[in-house]
Amino acid sequence: MSITVSPCPRRYLDVITAANMKTCEEHRSRQPYAFPENLWEVSFPPEFSNAFLDAKGEPTSESHNLFVAEDAGELAGYILLSWWAREDAPDFHDGCVLDIHVFDGFRGKKVGDALLNKAKLIADTRGWDNLTAQVWAGNTQSETLFRRAGFTDQSKTLRYGPNTQARPIQTVQPKGGTQFPVAKIWAAILITAVVWTLLRR
């Protein structure tokens, strides 16, 4: 087995977004109070679509902040980094892992390690001060993966609130006609939260 990590070609976009949606639903079913029902449709499709635009908003055939791991041409996993990971992005000193996933049949084969090594290489090459990832409480497999890759505790989020399902994210229609989430902070926080729980060494 020889894992290679490279920019994601557009042909994988549908498979990746389907995997991301499944992961989001699994997280939401375990902690419904933390994940609004419409979180995925409001937050994630734009992130994946934007991954195939350059800094000027022009479409590209491959992404520069979404990377795939392949084994002999077969999709083994992916990692979505924040927009600042792109080579054509302005200089910025912080980045985050928004999503990481290893597909069935490739778990336990260090695919997650290879994907995180790519993220760390970008962080080191760009001279970032921080490369962060958010792991939900109880997600010990992902926590083990990140710790093995050299990630350490930076902060903890403590929550007080009822154990009832979070309300849907509201959207508004601005004058230009484009929808955007009012609670944009949901996207920033929860996109980083969906780290695949089945990653294994």
Side-chain angles (χ1 to χ4, degrees), residues 1-6 68-72 74-77 106 109-115:
M1 181 169 177
S2 178
I3 297 295
T4 59
V5 178
S6 58
V68 292
E70 295 175 294
D71 178 33
E74 188 176 355
L75 182 61
F106 293 98
K109 299 179 179 178
K110 300 204 173 185
V111 173
D113 293 327
L115 290 164

Side-chain angles (χ1 to χ4, degrees), residues 1 3 100 102-103 105-114 116-117 139-149 196-201:
M1 181 169 177
I3 297 295
I100 185 169
V102 176
F103 288 96
F106 293 98
R107 297 190 187 117
K109 299 179 179 178
K110 300 204 173 185
V111 173
D113 293 327
L116 282 180
N117 284 341
N139 189 348
T140 56
Q141 292 173 335
S142 289
E143 183 175 351
T144 298
L145 171 73
F146 283 106
R147 289 193 187 284
R148 191 169 65 237
W196 187 238
T197 58
L198 297 177
L199 288 170
R200 296 180 191 165
R201 184 174 177 182

Side-chain angles (χ1 to χ4, degrees), residues 146-189:
F146 283 106
R147 289 193 187 284
R148 191 169 65 237
F151 286 69
T152 58
D153 288 345
Q154 179 172 268
S155 65
K156 291 195 178 203
T157 302
L158 304 177
R159 178 185 183 274
Y160 170 79
N163 288 331
T164 57
Q165 184 170 308
R167 284 166 272 198
I169 299 170
Q170 298 297 313
T171 60
V172 297
Q173 195 78 11
K175 291 182 179 177
T178 304
Q179 250 189 13
F180 69 96
V182 172
K184 190 150 183 150
I185 191 70
W186 270 109
I189 292 172

